[in-house]
Amino acid sequence: MELHDVWFVLIAVLWTGYFFLEGFDFGIGVLTKLLARDRKERRVLINTIGPVWDGNEVWLLSAGGATFAAFPEWYATLFSGFYLPLLLILLSLIVRGVAFEYRAKRPEEKWQTNWEHAIFWTSLIPAVLWGVAFGNIVRGVKIDAHMEYTGNVLDLLNPYALLGGLVTLTLFTFHGAVFAGLKTTGEIRARARGVALKLGAVTAVVALAFLIWTQLDNGNGRSLVAMVVAAVALVGAIAMIAAGREGWSFALSGVAIAAAVAMLFLTLFPNVMPSSLNDAWSLTVTNASSSPYTLKIMTWCAGIATPVVLLYQGWTYWVFRKRIGTQHIADAH
């Protein structure tokens, strides 16, 4: 296996980690309006991700940085062609971080309510746009012989990509509802399980439609296996949450996300960004990659840094592993 193939796999792993971790905290952000009934319950939901949401975003930075260094042509074409949706995602993540930090800085109800609205919308918008972006990457976009995107924003709003956005929104929200059931106690835990069941049914329908469409258009034998794993894991997650086994449900919903991301990358390879104008103009792991020497240096750096990141992030989840409920929230909040 060549180093550019290795880095294609590593980037797929980074995106898998990002969607698995950031997926449930996007879901929690959306659920602050759908699940919580008052400000205290919203505070409980926010507290479930309070110690980890910023660490989860490290995976996005790593995926973006790895793409920039390992596949500069892919990075350049992607960020120029998808400039507006990626800018909206970036702005949402900035406002979202500010909202988490500033919500409790003042006691006025209007102040806190406005920041809660911000948390909801800046969780929902990226959850949709990531699906739209990856839907377009897999489907193929207008790339010319000079590796430049020649389409416009409206070209990105096609039915396949919009269905992808609906899939990521429902899947992340379901993942978040399962996480809420895993991390909370009392009435809010029971309600989270009920919401997860309803969301799971919707997610299963739209996700299966998207995966089948992907397989029929671009699939192969390996992607078919990943699709089956994703479908079985999602059904298993729904069954486990119905049985009150939140831990198993969360693990299986994570497997479903990982298998779905794996399927998308398996349908891409050896392309990294297909051209819908001419197959010969597609960006591949070969023509979009950096030099072998650059990839070699990156591999050594990743081998040293990655275990450290995994250890400290795993330690964070271990320290903040206990359940919380409204009884842990002071009335002043």
Side-chain angles (χ1 to χ4, degrees):
M1 182 182 286
E2 299 289 338
L3 278 179
H4 51 63
D5 297 331
V6 171
W7 274 96
F8 179 84
V9 174
L10 290 176
I11 289 171
V13 170
L14 290 171
W15 280 111
T16 300
Y18 175 66
F19 287 144
F20 174 79
L21 296 172
E22 190 87 306
F24 71 73
D25 70 42
F26 281 150
I28 291 292
V30 174
L31 289 169
T32 56
K33 295 294 184 185
L34 303 182
L35 176 60
R37 290 181 175 174
D38 54 38
R39 291 171 62 194
K40 185 174 282 191
E41 289 191 350
R42 282 192 289 275
R43 185 63 186 175
V44 169
L45 291 178
I46 292 171
N47 281 5
T48 63
I49 60 172
V52 298
W53 68 266
D54 48 355
N56 294 343
E57 292 184 358
V58 170
W59 290 81
L60 174 61
L61 299 175
S62 300
T67 304
F68 171 77
F71 299 100
E73 295 291 350
W74 183 13
Y75 183 93
T77 304
L78 176 65
F79 276 78
S80 60
F82 292 24
Y83 182 82
L84 182 57
L86 291 178
L87 177 62
L88 289 174
I89 290 173
L90 177 60
L91 291 175
S92 294
L93 294 179
I94 292 171
V95 174
R96 188 168 181 264
V98 173
F100 282 134
E101 297 295 336
Y102 275 71
R103 176 191 174 276
K105 295 298 184 183
R106 288 171 57 179
E108 293 89 344
E109 182 175 356
K110 184 177 180 181
W111 171 272
Q112 295 195 4
T113 299
N114 287 339
W115 286 120
E116 288 164 2
H117 289 321
I119 290 171
F120 171 78
W121 287 108
T122 56
S123 298
L124 185 146
I125 291 171
V128 173
L129 291 181
W130 280 127
V132 173
F134 271 84
N136 278 290
I137 291 173
V138 172
R139 174 178 174 266
V141 292
K142 295 178 179 179
I143 300 174
D144 64 14
H146 303 289
M147 298 185 179
E148 295 180 358
Y149 178 71
T150 60
N152 55 52
V153 174
L154 293 180
D155 292 328
L156 303 179
L157 302 179
N158 55 80
Y160 176 78
L162 292 174
L163 179 60
L166 182 60
V167 170
T168 49
L169 174 61
T170 55
L171 183 57
F172 291 169
T173 309
F174 169 72
H175 195 42
V178 174
F179 182 76
L182 180 65
K183 286 288 293 178
T184 58
T185 61
E187 184 182 350
I188 193 169
R189 177 189 178 189
R191 205 181 317 130
R193 285 160 53 182
V195 170
L197 276 174
K198 296 175 183 177
L199 284 170
V202 176
T203 303
V205 173
V206 295
L208 188 59
F210 179 76
L211 295 178
I212 291 174
W213 191 344
T214 303
Q215 180 64 26
L216 292 176
D217 275 359
N218 305 294
N220 50 55
R222 294 169 298 180
S223 64
L224 178 61
V225 172
M227 184 188 81
V228 172
V229 171
V232 171
L234 182 57
V235 172
I238 297 170
M240 287 295 102
I241 197 66
R245 304 293 297 273
E246 295 100 337
W248 280 104
S249 181
F250 183 71
L252 287 171
S253 65
V255 171
I257 291 173
V261 175
M263 180 187 178
L264 296 182
F265 277 89
L266 287 169
T267 61
L268 273 177
F269 188 81
N271 294 326
V272 294
M273 205 166 179
S275 172
S276 59
L277 300 178
N278 189 326
D279 288 340
W281 298 342
S282 296
L283 303 184
T284 68
V285 293
T286 304
N287 66 20
S289 69
S290 294
S291 67
Y293 182 73
T294 299
L295 297 177
K296 184 177 180 180
I297 297 298
M298 288 176 59
T299 303
W300 279 104
C301 294
I304 295 170
T306 302
V308 176
V309 173
L310 292 174
L311 283 172
Y312 83 68
Q313 194 160 25
W315 177 80
T316 301
Y317 277 91
W318 175 255
V319 169
F320 295 100
R321 66 189 182 276
K322 292 185 178 180
R323 294 177 181 269
I324 61 173
T326 53
Q327 69 273 18
H328 300 118
I329 306 298
D331 291 336
H333 286 293

